[in-house]
Amino acid sequence: MSKKNGAKRSPRAWSADLGGRFFWGALAMVLIAANLILPALEKKHAWKVDLTCNGVYTLSTPSEQILQNLSEDIYLYMVYSPGNEDARIEQMLREYGAASPYVHVMSIPVGMRQLLPDISLLSTEKEGIWITNQAQTLVQYFSQEDMYLWDEAGQAVAFKAEAKLTAAIQGIVQGAFCNVRLLVGHGETAGRDLQSFLQLLDMGNYQVAEWSLASSTKALDPKTDILVAVSPKADLEHSEYEAIAQFMQAGGRALLLFDRASFNTTQGVLQVYSTSLPLFSELLWQYRMQVNDDLLFSGDVRTINLRRTSLRVRPMLEGMQESEVIINEAASLDILDVADVGADTQVSPLLVTEGVCFAKGLAQKVENFNFQQGTDAKGRFVVGALAARGDSRLAVLTDSLMVGDETIGISGNWAFFEGLLEELSPLTPAVSIEGKALSVPHRLLGGRTMQVLLWSLAFLLLPMGVVFAGWRLRTGKWRK
């Protein structure tokens, strides 16, 4: 027995023993190296596998094309409070950084201005995402909340970071962002009643802000701005008219929505607006248009929502002739033959009533909603028109409820305004990317996950390897 235990091991046994030790040592080194390298590779190249069914973390083809065509440096800064980072946004920024060598991504804790010695325009006291070019001549800011679509209960229902980031990069590349300026100060419809319209603008990546001559620090810019007025109840001041007229003469774009009446559905009362708007009317006249002092009624007793003033109208925008748009309490609009304006102003209908309608004048109180022969005009009426003069565009609609929360949700109305805004935009419309639903859990398989898997595998394999090696030695499988 002692002789056997004291026997020398053969060279083959020593070789096998050394080979086994080398194998386990090499495996340990590989695991340690992988543990150190994988997180760095993940951060640099956004190595993650998107397991969400709708690709929340996967860039769409339009985004990839814009990123692949970049020829200038774009900087994405995520400013955050420690412990308040948004993992979704952080990962999406990494995807952009990995998709193009021209996109540079940095995460910065709030207040750490020393990390940005050359970024004087960015306030690192404000959380959110900043996108800028190297010269800082174009800067776009989004809060973390801007990256989501929220429901009425305040729950995030869709992730729209890709749409925001790609549109911002596209705007920097083309040198400007398209802005919608909402005219205020004349009793216009409040923003709280235009939430769906504002959502449409947000999804189209328009930058929205209120504008008035008295309070706005920047003048309207015909190269980037669309002026929108929703149901003004008071007229312009003369200085405002001059400012808007100069904006239009320089090639500006505007969308004006007027009301001659509104229907209170709760009380069942028709309210007529009698205030005259001579300077608004003068602006329309300069573009060969006039809103008449009347109210349109359907000639069909089978009315929409039992309201004779709810009408189906046909959009005249290219590609939308087969769509159906709904309007309420609209007036008729005349396209004028004004010699003084000049032949260079071209006006075309945007919306035309379907079927037989009739118009009742509002000079007197409207008490009878039925057609009156010899008093009421009858036929098809224009209720929206688009005028073009050089680069300038003016769209006029005679019903502001079209952009109200109750009506714009109709598919035809929504599509009509998407197309109209593209027609009015002074810049190439931003790429349209839909938000991605968050109805499924967000799961990513990334470098940190790979770390966990590797160490889990190591803890499983190492004991099994030791047992296996002991068994081989005990049974003499490694001996000669």
Side-chain angles (χ1 to χ4, degrees):
M1 185 72 176
S2 60
K3 185 178 180 179
K4 183 177 180 181
N5 291 338
K8 292 183 178 181
R9 300 178 64 185
S10 67
R12 184 175 180 181
W14 279 108
S15 177
D17 190 25
L18 289 173
R21 292 179 180 179
F22 176 79
F23 170 78
W24 293 113
L27 178 61
M29 293 296 293
V30 168
L31 289 172
I32 293 172
N35 181 61
L36 296 173
I37 293 173
L38 278 174
L41 292 176
E42 173 199 354
K43 187 172 183 179
K44 182 176 181 180
H45 300 288
W47 280 0
K48 288 182 181 289
V49 178
D50 190 351
L51 301 181
T52 56
C53 65
N54 53 352
V56 169
Y57 302 96
T58 302
L59 294 179
S60 63
T61 300
S63 292
E64 290 179 341
Q65 291 175 344
I66 289 174
L67 293 172
Q68 289 169 4
N69 292 329
L70 284 177
S71 59
E72 63 176 296
D73 290 322
I74 304 293
Y75 297 84
L76 307 180
Y77 300 101
M78 180 176 177
V79 181
Y80 65 93
S81 295
N84 194 34
E85 305 93 328
D86 189 301
R88 290 194 188 98
I89 298 175
E90 189 174 16
Q91 175 57 28
M92 184 57 71
L93 293 176
R94 290 177 182 172
E95 295 289 341
Y96 278 82
S100 172
Y102 289 99
V103 177
H104 310 279
V105 179
M106 182 181 292
S107 296
I108 308 158
V110 168
M112 300 295 288
R113 187 179 293 277
Q114 60 269 27
L115 295 179
L116 294 174
D118 301 324
I119 311 298
S120 59
L121 295 181
L122 306 187
S123 170
T124 53
E125 303 300 324
K126 188 175 182 180
E127 292 185 47
I129 296 85
W130 302 82
I131 305 99
T132 181
N133 57 352
Q134 187 172 17
Q136 303 176 46
T137 54
L138 290 167
V139 179
Q140 187 70 276
Y141 166 79
F142 300 109
S143 67
Q144 291 188 5
E145 290 74 17
D146 292 333
M147 297 298 184
Y148 292 90
L149 182 64
W150 305 85
D151 62 14
E152 295 181 355
Q155 297 295 320
V157 295
F159 188 50
K160 56 181 184 179
E162 183 186 358
K164 291 293 184 185
L165 294 172
T166 298
I169 292 173
Q170 184 182 11
I172 290 175
V173 170
Q174 67 183 6
F177 304 108
C178 189
N179 308 309
V180 169
R181 302 306 187 202
L182 297 175
L183 184 66
V184 295
H186 314 86
E188 291 87 356
T189 302
R192 63 177 177 273
D193 297 320
L194 299 173
Q195 291 303 307
S196 296
F197 181 58
L198 295 177
Q199 180 181 331
L200 183 149
L201 295 173
D202 180 68
M203 292 176 65
N205 296 301
Y206 297 95
Q207 313 305 311
V208 182
E210 294 182 346
W211 183 87
S212 71
L213 185 63
S215 61
S216 298
T217 57
K218 292 182 64 177
L220 294 170
D221 187 345
K223 296 180 180 179
T224 60
D225 295 348
I226 305 173
L227 178 65
V228 177
V230 182
S231 189
K233 305 298 190 301
D235 200 19
L236 297 167
E237 298 289 339
H238 187 74
S239 56
E240 292 176 313
Y241 170 79
E242 291 293 336
I244 294 173
Q246 290 176 10
F247 164 70
M248 298 299 293
Q249 290 169 6
R253 314 292 181 96
L255 169 60
L256 307 180
L257 299 98
F258 295 100
D259 287 316
R260 286 289 188 255
S262 64
F263 189 81
N264 188 317
T265 56
T266 303
Q267 301 177 359
V269 175
L270 180 68
Q271 181 180 359
V272 175
Y273 303 119
S274 58
T275 304
S276 62
L277 307 173
L279 291 180
F280 274 113
S281 299
E282 174 66 19
L283 184 63
L284 268 60
W285 184 86
Q286 292 291 337
Y287 282 82
R288 296 178 50 203
M289 290 182 285
Q290 174 182 286
V291 177
N292 295 317
D293 192 22
D294 58 21
L295 183 62
L296 299 181
F297 292 80
S298 172
D300 188 349
V301 294
R302 298 171 296 175
T303 54
I304 304 170
N305 297 330
L306 303 180
R307 285 164 62 181
R308 298 288 295 277
T309 51
S310 291
L311 308 172
R312 292 181 175 89
V313 296
R314 185 68 61 189
M316 296 290 106
L317 285 173
E318 184 177 355
M320 289 196 62
Q321 285 80 2
E322 300 303 318
S323 302
E324 187 176 78
V325 173
I326 304 300
I327 62 172
N328 300 279
E329 291 79 59
S332 63
L333 185 149
D334 284 344
I335 297 175
L336 306 174
D337 184 12
V338 183
D340 294 341
V341 173
D344 59 337
T345 302
Q346 305 297 322
V347 187
S348 56
L350 280 174
L351 294 171
V352 179
T353 59
E354 285 188 332
V356 177
C357 299
F358 59 91
K360 286 185 171 292
L362 297 178
Q364 297 179 348
K365 185 177 181 180
V366 178
E367 295 180 343
N368 185 351
F369 287 5
N370 296 318
F371 175 71
Q372 292 182 297
Q373 188 70 38
T375 303
D376 301 336
K378 191 175 185 179
R380 300 182 67 187
F381 298 88
V382 175
V383 294
L386 175 65
R389 180 192 298 156
D391 292 332
S392 180
R393 300 288 185 274
L394 176 60
V396 177
L397 305 174
T398 65
D399 167 35
S400 73
L401 286 181
M402 291 182 67
V403 294
D405 291 340
E406 295 182 0
T407 309
I408 198 172
I410 299 171
S411 59
N413 290 36
W414 186 278
F416 170 76
F417 279 102
E418 282 184 324
L420 180 57
L421 288 166
E422 287 187 10
E423 183 73 24
L424 291 172
S425 176
L427 301 172
T428 301
V431 62
S432 180
I433 300 173
E434 293 186 2
K436 297 176 181 179
L438 296 176
S439 57
V440 294
H442 62 287
R443 296 177 183 174
L444 286 170
L445 183 59
R448 298 186 189 280
T449 309
M450 292 298 294
Q451 280 182 280
V452 175
L453 292 177
L454 285 171
W455 281 114
S456 300
L457 187 64
F459 281 117
L460 287 174
L461 290 180
L462 283 174
M464 294 174 62
V466 172
V467 172
F468 176 74
W471 174 76
R472 296 277 293 183
L473 290 170
R474 187 175 183 81
T475 56
K477 297 292 184 180
W478 282 346
R479 297 191 183 100
K480 184 174 180 180

